[in-house]
Amino acid sequence: MAAVIALLAAAQRAGLLEIFGEPARIKLALVELGPWGYVAFVAAYAALQPFGVPGTVFILAAPLIWPWPVAFALSMAGTMAASVVGFSFARFVARDWISRRVPARLRAYDEALRRRAFFTVFMLRLVLWMPPMLHAFFGVSGVRFSTHFWGSLAGYLLPLLATAYFGERIFDALRDAPPSAWVGMGAALVTVTVGLWLARRRAGQEVVTS
């Protein structure tokens, strides 16, 4: 956390974070900054994501700015830094306050963390990625820092690699897609969302009646 704060302060003093307020300049400015662009990206990601800024914004932007190997490395560095900051904040700074606010659906994994900590961290990261509340849940749980770190790293690996490699291609395909394709994707998204909601509702009813 101290390292992230120091990087963020250095980037702020150098005026590197101002570029995030003007999206049209982000790609050109970060590329021209070279290594300092990497610092600004990772520091902003690590400082903002644990407290509510969606990490997908950074992950999807990275392959549009840099070649995919660089985008993958920076996405992984930023995601891991954000996870560590969120975990550490929950464990060492605001543990009691956060413990009262962890959703019950996450608390249901307490027993799994006690029995299979690494596998549970790995699966939750693979499926849910990096919501701030998941960082917080791991922080107030009994899982060790090292288990959280390596389990998160393993869980992030494939999704971040796929996003970095295919991100620009997917963006170009969506940008050039006809209106009918957007309508179809919207209908599919609504169908999947409603299906998941109905499945969760049915599962909840079965739990109540059992």
Side-chain angles (χ1 to χ4, degrees), residues 92-114:
F92 303 115
V93 179
R95 187 184 186 97
D96 293 338
W97 183 82
I98 290 175
S99 293
R100 297 191 295 269
R101 289 163 174 78
V102 173
R105 66 180 182 274
L106 289 179
R107 283 296 189 188
Y109 293 100
D110 279 331
E111 183 61 26
L113 280 174
R114 283 191 288 270

Side-chain angles (χ1 to χ4, degrees), residues 60-61 63-64 166-177 182:
L60 294 176
L64 303 179
F166 295 107
E168 186 174 8
R169 296 168 176 81
I170 294 174
F171 180 82
D172 291 339
L174 292 176
R175 183 182 57 190
D176 299 333
W182 285 99

Side-chain angles (χ1 to χ4, degrees), residues 20 30-31 34-46 55 58-63 65-82 130 160 164:
F20 288 97
L30 288 178
V31 170
W36 280 109
Y38 304 160
V39 172
F41 179 88
V42 173
Y45 191 163
F58 295 91
I59 291 173
L60 294 176
I65 300 172
W66 295 286
W68 79 262
V70 176
F72 170 66
L74 293 177
S75 294
M76 180 61 80
T79 302
M80 288 303 300
M130 56 199 152
L160 292 184

Side-chain angles (χ1 to χ4, degrees), residues 173-196:
L174 292 176
R175 183 182 57 190
D176 299 333
S180 58
W182 285 99
V183 172
M185 287 186 290
L189 179 61
V190 171
T191 300
V192 171
T193 302
V194 172
L196 291 175

Side-chain angles (χ1 to χ4, degrees), residues 103-174:
R105 66 180 182 274
L106 289 179
R107 283 296 189 188
Y109 293 100
D110 279 331
E111 183 61 26
L113 280 174
R114 283 191 288 270
R115 293 183 177 181
R116 301 177 300 276
F118 181 89
F119 180 76
T120 302
V121 173
F122 167 76
M123 288 304 300
L124 287 176
R125 289 303 194 188
L126 182 65
V127 175
L128 300 179
W129 278 32
M130 56 199 152
M133 188 50 70
L134 186 56
H135 304 330
F137 167 64
F138 286 136
V140 300
S141 72
V143 68
R144 294 181 178 180
F145 174 83
S146 58
T147 302
H148 165 261
F149 184 91
W150 295 112
S152 297
L153 182 68
Y156 288 141
L157 185 62
L158 288 179
L160 292 184
L161 181 60
T163 303
Y165 186 78
F166 295 107
E168 186 174 8
R169 296 168 176 81
I170 294 174
F171 180 82
D172 291 339
L174 292 176

